[in-house]
Amino acid sequence: MYLLEALGGKTFLMELRKGLKGFTVFTLVVVLIAGGMTQLYPVVQEAMEPDEMEGAEFVILEVGDEGIYLRWVTVPEAVEYVVMEDSHPYMVTSYEIERTPENHTMVVHAEGERYFAVIYVTDEGEFPLGMVSAQETKDPLEVLMETPFYRMFTAGRPDLTFDEMEGFLSVELYSWWILLVGVYLSYLSVKSITDDYQEKRMDIIFSTPLSRERYMVEKFSALGVVVLVMIVLSGVFVMLAAGTVSDGGGTNLLVALVISWPMFLVIIAVSMFLAVVTGSSRKAVGLSFAFIMLNYGVFMAGHMVDSLSVVHPFTICHYWDYNSVLLDGVVYPWHLVLLTAIALVVLVLSTLFFRKKDIPS
Amino acid sequence: MKKKKLVMDIRGLTKYYGKVVGIEGLDLKVYEGEIMGFLGPNGAGKTTTIRACLDLIHKSDGVVNIFGLDSHRDSLEIRRRTGYLPGDFGMYPDLKVRTILKYLLSQNGISDTTRMEELARSFELDLDRKYGELSKGNRQKAGIVQAFMADQDLIMLDEPTSGLDPLMQKKFYGFLREERENGKTIFMSSHILAEVEEVCDRVAIIRNGHLQVVENIHSLKEKMGKKLVVEFENSVDTGLFEMEGVNDFSIDGRMVTMIVTSNLDEVIKTVSRQNIINMSLETFSLEHLFLTYYSRGGRDP
């Protein structure tokens, strides 16, 4: 009730007015990054598709017990076919292993990478027909996922794939979201308090009949509304931008961002708490950055190092389960309730501390 | 005679900053419709006293009642009825003064800006300029307007004329007198003796966190006495002036200097029985009084 009353309070409105320029620039930057990332999807998706060899559709390679069986389409004007082999796809150092009038041949097994090219010979000359590789071609994303570092960004979901927009955004946008928004938000939250100290307006503000509780709650509400607006705008922008380059996504892209709001409420509350306790921008900003980095670092490292996975539940990132929305379409309400409760507890603690503290002159 | 209403009642007010004494055992009463000067050098405890009264800092001990309300428990109600100009303050540098003052006014539940506009006009303050663009003097004017715009019963001013030019200071003193006539109570800290002397009814002198004296300015000056310097035609018998009310008697040839604290009529009559070449009678300034207090470590003059 008190929180609802704070929305529209004088300090709430003053906070919005005072920070309007900063909030607008911040929102614009985040929205553009979020939307811009979505627009990169087609390019990245193309880059992630396995490279197809030239003319691969004309040559078929089958691996059998006796050897590698090669066959190719028949070219009517061909008098014979030349099969070349190399250990490299560019075939610069290739050598002839077979010359045959048939449209097939058998090659013995051998170690290492093997690439084959078929050339057909006519009265006019020699022409390339197609290339094929004995190697099993891997999806580049699979190759990335095999590296522990990249696995961090999957948030524990090995089923992620760049075949879908959701998978791409999960890795390239949502896994960075807390840093993208949280760092600047924590700075804003700290400054909303410490600027009043450092610019020496606390005395004047508190010479009015404004309680310290009200002051804290209205500041918290203002920052909460700012970040909610920014999240929703970003979500809508991502959703619309995704619609222009892909069929997937839809409202899940928006919902996955909206459920990050309670996590940012925790960041606001913690930053305000640190600002009140330290009374110094530099210390409070440093400590709140450390709080975010520690949470993010432990969360991410937990997906790389199994032994760290036990500390996951102690990070706020753990309770923003964007992948469950993006990949499964599921929201866990208790995650949101828990984060909101943490934010409110920290806010109450900040207020209690602030009530006991002398306002520095 | 109608008994004056007590507005501020401070008893044993103490504030420690760790082991450092801010103020200790301060007793002070301020009555309705008076301008009380609170005098002391920098660091004496003036600002600490005011800020403790407004609950901006929490007192270590003592009782502060303002309008009969407890300074901590009823802090919001006290602040609703009290205007305050801090000694060192800032506002929002990127916002117009009008926006800031309207915000502060609205915290008091007031939306009518007529008095704010009048005060700004009177003190020649441009409300449509950004606070960050104002000069030191104009910022001080914004602070003054802010302190008085809600038309509250008690105004606490901490070094109010800092940064104002002499003409504006005069205007401000006149404004304070008008406010007093309108029934306002003003508690004003200052280290400028002339300003306290000019506008205050009573003065409290504080030193190293301890209150030295609280007195009506005229009574205080009376207590300090007058300095009588007489040049006689001939040398005089010093025994002539050994009478009640004459202190610090000194003689230099035919020039006699004495401090007269009472019995002035008798002293003048005694002097006039001799042939006089020159004579002067000076009233001590508050500055002299202040320095006397400090040189004597707070003992009565």
Side-chain angles (χ1 to χ4, degrees), chain A residues 308-355:
Chain A
L308 276 178
S309 62
V310 290
V311 293
H312 269 182
F314 299 102
T315 67
I316 55 172
C317 310
H318 180 75
Y319 300 98
W320 174 44
D321 194 353
Y322 50 89
N323 278 334
S324 69
V325 180
L326 293 173
L327 307 181
D328 312 326
V330 177
V331 175
Y332 297 107
W334 75 270
H335 282 178
L336 313 183
V337 171
L338 181 70
L339 285 172
T340 308
I342 292 170
L344 293 179
V345 167
V346 177
L347 178 66
V348 169
L349 287 175
S350 312
T351 305
L352 291 175
F353 192 89
F354 192 41
R355 271 175 62 180

Side-chain angles (χ1 to χ4, degrees), chain A residues 1 3 19 24-25 28 32 47 54 74 87 96 106 109 127 132 156 195 247 249 255 283 292 299 307 330 334:
Chain A
M1 196 64 194
L3 272 170
T24 308
V25 172
L28 207 63
L32 285 177
E54 200 176 338
T74 305
S87 58
E96 186 179 314
M106 179 74 80
H109 285 298
F127 303 95
V132 71
D195 275 359
D247 304 332
V255 174
K283 284 182 194 165
I292 293 171
F299 180 72
S307 59
V330 177
W334 75 270

Side-chain angles (χ1 to χ4, degrees), chain B residues 10-61:
Chain B
I10 302 173
R11 280 170 278 144
L13 179 59
T14 300
K15 174 66 186 175
Y16 298 119
Y17 297 103
K19 288 181 179 172
V20 177
V21 176
I23 44 175
E24 197 168 44
L26 192 136
D27 295 309
L28 187 63
K29 287 178 171 34
V30 180
Y31 295 93
E32 188 179 32
E34 73 169 336
I35 302 180
M36 164 69 95
F38 197 36
L39 205 55
N42 293 332
K46 304 186 296 289
T47 301
T48 299
T49 305
I50 293 175
R51 298 182 85 237
C53 287
L54 291 171
D55 203 35
L56 296 170
I57 52 173
H58 301 302
K59 58 186 188 285
S60 307
D61 199 6

